[in-house]
Every structure is written in structure tokens, then in C-alpha cells.
Amino acid sequence: QKPPLVKGMFVRVELQAPPVTSVILLPRAAIRDGRVMLVGSDDRLAYARVAPVFFADDIAVLAPEALPAGARVITSNLSPAIDGLLLAPERDRAAEAHLAAAAATGDDL
């Protein structure tokens, strides 16, 4: 109905898709070299390999099976980050709020 696109032309495109459900959202910075740092059940540092499905700005989206249920991900930069290091974990309420808002609105996704 409209003239065909010619090489070098520009168009405006709006993509739509159904909402993404059952995913894990993490701060993008929590993934370092394809791994995330976790707080183990004994409050010791552990690592897990992850492969994000995609990134949206500062958020990484992972498949639900990427991490075990209830996994506690470390979002801060630890130094030294030695496997088995004893930790004193604290919740990052600001990061939780940011991820919850992104999940609720889908704006950052």
C-alpha cells in the first residue's frame, strides 16, 4: 500500500510483544565475566555461571532456571572476592526497589 523501502531510507518502527514472565532480574553490574557472586547457605561466597537472556539498560534478564530458588546475589563489588570467603550480607533495598519497579512497569525491559 505504500512505496517500498529503498536502501538508505529511514523508518520508525514500534515493536510489541507479550509481557515477559517468570524471569530473574539482576543489576547488570552483578554479572562479572559470565558469573554472579552468591551468598551460600553458610554465608560464604560462592560463584555461579549465568547466561543472560538479554540486557535492558542496567538490568540483566535471566531464565528462571539460571539460579536456584532463593539464591542471594551479591550486587556490590567485593575485594578480595575469594571463593569461600565468610560474608556478613546486607540487603540492598535500593536495588530491590529499582528491580521491582522495572518488573512492575516493564519500562526498563
Side-chain angles (χ1 to χ4, degrees), residues 50-88:
V50 294
V53 176
F54 65 91
F55 295 99
D57 294 328
D58 62 342
I59 295 174
V61 180
L62 282 67
E65 62 275 1
L67 293 172
R72 297 182 289 168
V73 176
I74 298 170
T75 58
S76 59
N77 192 8
L78 294 180
S79 182
I82 301 167
D83 195 21
L85 180 71
L86 185 60
L87 304 169

